[in-house]
Amino acid sequence: MLSYEQARYKVIEEVGKRKGPRATTVVSVWDALGLVLAQEVRTDREYPPFDRSTRDGYAVNSKEVMPGAGLKCAGEIKAGDTVSEALAAGTCLQIMTGAAVPAAADAVVMIEHVRREGELVRFERAAQPGQNIVPRGSEAVAAQIVLSPGMRLGYAELALAAQVGAVQLKCAKRPRVAILSTGDEIVLIDETPGPFQIRNSNSVSLASQVRIAGGEPAVLGNAADRIEDLGEKIERGLKEDVLVLSGGVSMGKYDLVESVLKAMGAEFFFDAVAIRPGKPAVFGVCQGKPVFGLPGNPVSTMVTFELFVVPAIDLLSGAEARALPLVEARLAEAMREKLGLTHFLPARVEWRGNVPEVKALRWQGSGDIAALARANCFLVIPDDKESIEIGEAVAVILRKDVV
Ligand code: AMP
Ligand code: MG
């Protein structure tokens, strides 16, 4: 049985082989959040475009500044002012944050460090050349590539595009992810379930996870635990870029997903992973499309999506597979778990001073959605650790949607 790292690697390897060139679309910066860039973005000029003052204060020639002595203030420069004249010897100019520093000035003295006596500006201390000035071109030179294909566009990347005037961006289209739940007991979320029926919550968590990962969900509904119904709906799912099924992959008599996929020509790369929850997770390729069969217990579905489906969506978006959002935390309570499986337990991480401390939540196992809704992370217990003591360092995977 593969470890979760090996299983992730398999997904990355196999989907990576098949990713090909992606369809692209041109999107305004206002609408491109979370998309993957499919072009280069270059600066339209140098940044900053002029020597920029980073403080409100006085532009000076640092050699002329003597502690306790003064210089005559010859005027002021506001942000946006055209600056063409050099600083005259023996004078200073009042200057604002974001304004251009004139030629012959090589420092800005903060307003907090002077005393104004009429026309005279008296300095408390010496000035260092370059202080409080960002030189022209020091952030980027003209025509420099600042964003490259494959980068995911977050708020900083979009601000950078806006700064250089790249207001329309060629991006990869979001991969379409078919979501198909399975199970005779499953009803629509707006139906009233019979006493032994269950609402289709997995389609909701999966659609949300697909969106967060940068894909576009195509929710196909639910297939009964019957070969014909499964076959028909899987066929539809294979028209999208990826197919994600929930349920029907365990050892039960009515767990038919794998056999139906096999009959449709699927090649499997794993059908079990040494994890809990989520051990029966299946990954294969069917008719050229990556297919994931995730165990139906809701927390298993969520965990296995994060571990295995997210990297596939990344690759199909033209990005690199993201690393898991792992951080190290200190365990708040001793724990024991079964050897041989990596456990992903609903937990809360809290920052105590600068030290993240994590505590597993009480839960009833992988059907317990309420426990996960109280969690802000998964506590990772390695497969070779039977017990972990209080205060030991452990890994947690942050739930980036709520942290
Ligand atoms: P399975 O993986 O099909 O054996 O299902 C395992 C457990 O998950 C069962 O208790 C199912 O009722 C539950 N389950 C399966 N599919 C869903 C779903 N779409 N939404 C909520 N619970 C589900
Ligand atoms: Mg089932």
Side-chain angles (χ1 to χ4, degrees), residues 181-182 185-186 198-203 222 246-250 255 295-298:
S181 71
T182 72
E185 75 281 31
I186 305 303
I198 304 285
R199 291 194 186 89
N200 190 351
S201 64
N202 282 351
S203 288
N222 186 69
S246 86
V249 290
S250 307
D255 290 328
N297 258 315

Side-chain angles (χ1 to χ4, degrees), residues 36-172:
V36 174
L37 194 62
Q39 64 163 91
E40 285 174 347
V41 172
R42 291 175 184 266
T43 51
D44 56 328
R45 54 179 178 166
E46 293 170 289
Y47 284 90
F50 48 83
D51 296 334
R52 181 178 65 208
S53 175
T54 63
R55 293 285 187 271
D56 294 317
Y58 290 87
V60 296
N61 176 342
S62 59
K63 289 186 210 68
E64 295 181 345
V65 173
M66 306 296 163
L71 289 171
K72 183 174 169 260
C73 180
E76 67 170 34
I77 311 170
K78 304 194 297 293
D81 282 354
T82 302
V83 174
S84 46
E85 274 173 49
L87 178 72
T91 70
C92 62
L93 284 162
Q94 188 162 18
I95 192 166
M96 317 301 156
T97 301
V101 177
D106 67 349
V108 170
V109 177
M110 286 165 68
I111 198 158
E112 292 86 339
H113 297 156
V114 307
R115 220 172 50 236
R116 190 73 195 246
E117 295 165 3
E119 294 238 288
L120 197 74
V121 178
R122 200 177 287 284
F123 299 94
E124 282 176 4
R125 49 181 94 161
Q128 304 307 316
Q131 78 180 28
N132 301 323
I133 298 172
V134 181
R136 172 178 176 166
S138 63
E139 292 167 4
V141 298
Q144 184 176 326
I145 297 168
V146 284
L147 296 170
S148 309
M151 287 178 92
R152 197 172 288 282
L153 297 167
Y155 53 80
E157 291 74 14
L158 290 172
L160 182 55
Q163 184 185 43
V164 303
V167 293
Q168 298 285 326
L169 297 167
K170 190 165 90 170
C171 298

Side-chain angles (χ1 to χ4, degrees), residues 180-196:
L180 178 59
S181 71
T182 72
D184 290 337
E185 75 281 31
I186 305 303
V187 300
L188 294 171
I189 57 168
D190 47 10
E191 271 179 58
T192 304
F196 301 104

Side-chain angles (χ1 to χ4, degrees), residues 269-341:
F269 301 103
F270 57 79
D271 64 358
V273 186
I275 56 174
R276 180 177 285 166
K279 187 167 155 220
V282 172
F283 166 59
V285 169
C286 190
Q287 299 172 18
K289 301 288 172 67
V291 178
F292 295 88
L294 309 182
N297 258 315
V299 180
S300 311
T301 313
M302 296 176 200
V303 168
T304 49
F305 185 97
E306 292 301 303
L307 294 178
F308 308 123
V309 187
V310 171
I313 293 176
D314 282 342
L315 292 168
L316 293 168
S317 310
E320 304 255 309
R322 262 171 286 198
L324 286 168
L326 281 163
V327 298
E328 193 180 86
R330 218 165 276 171
L331 196 63
E333 269 177 10
M335 311 228 7
R336 293 181 73 81
E337 290 294 343
K338 193 179 163 205
L339 277 175
L341 299 173

